[in-house]
Amino acid sequence: MKKSIIVAAVLIVAAMFTCSAFAADAAKIGIVSFEKIIQESSAGKVMQKDLKAKLNELQEKLQAEEKRVKEMSAALEREALVLSPEKKLERQRELRDNADDLKKMKADYTQEMKILQNKRMNQIQKDVFDIANKLGKSQGYLLIIEKKVAGVIYAADKVDLTDAIMKEYNSIYAQKK
C-alpha cells in the first residue's frame, strides 16, 4: 500500500512538471547573415564601391612607382659599361633604395586598405547589431545569432532575420545620407 501511494505521488509530481514545461513560451531564435548584409545592403554596396575606388587609386600609384624603378634598372643596365665604378655603385644603391621603398609602399598600402576595410565593416556591424537588438527586444526574441560566426549549418527561413534587418538598415542609411 505504501509503495502504491509513493508511486502515485511521484507520478502526480512528474505530471505537474511536465505540464508546466509544455506550457512555457516557445523560444524565439533568430539568425542574421552579416555577409549577406555587406553584399546587398545600401551601406555595404557603398562601402565596397569606396574600397574598390581606393584600391584602384593605390594600385595606380604602385604601378607608377614600379614603372619608375624598372626604368631606373633599365637605364643602369644600359649605362653600366660607361659609368665609373663609383657612379655605378651609387646608381645601384639608389635602385636598391627605390626597390625597398616600393616594397614598403606596397606593405603600407595593404595595411591602409585593411584598416579602412575594418573601420567600415565595424561601423556597419555596430549599426546592424543595434538594429538586431531593437528588433529582438520589440519582437520578443530570446536569441539572435550571426550565421557564420555561430557556425550555423542549417536554419529555417522563418528564423532568418537578415532581410528584415537589412530593410531597416537601408532606411536608416538613406536617412543619414
Side-chain angles (χ1 to χ4, degrees), residues 28-90:
K28 285 181 78 173
I29 297 175
I31 303 288
V32 176
S33 174
F34 187 67
E35 188 174 326
K36 182 177 178 181
I37 291 173
I38 291 295
Q39 292 173 354
E40 297 178 12
S41 71
S42 301
K45 288 178 181 177
V46 168
M47 179 197 75
Q48 290 175 9
K49 181 182 157 204
D50 291 348
L51 288 175
K52 190 172 185 174
K54 183 70 172 178
L55 180 64
N56 289 339
E57 174 191 327
L58 296 178
Q59 284 179 337
E60 286 176 11
K61 290 179 182 179
L62 279 175
Q63 288 171 349
E65 187 64 22
E66 284 176 348
K67 183 179 177 184
R68 192 174 72 79
V69 169
K70 285 180 182 178
E71 288 173 355
M72 284 180 67
S73 177
L76 179 62
E77 286 180 24
R78 281 192 311 269
E79 300 168 357
L81 297 175
V82 295
L83 290 175
S84 66
E86 298 85 24
K87 199 69 165 166
K88 186 177 177 182
L89 285 174
E90 181 182 325

Side-chain angles (χ1 to χ4, degrees), residues 110-125:
T110 302
Q111 183 69 20
E112 183 178 341
M113 285 301 297
K114 284 180 185 177
I115 289 170
L116 184 60
Q117 182 179 15
N118 286 338
K119 181 180 174 186
R120 298 291 298 273
M121 292 280 278
N122 288 340
Q123 182 59 47
I124 291 174
Q125 189 176 33

Side-chain angles (χ1 to χ4, degrees), residues 17-30:
F17 284 123
T18 304
C19 291
S20 66
F22 286 120
D25 289 337
K28 285 181 78 173
I29 297 175

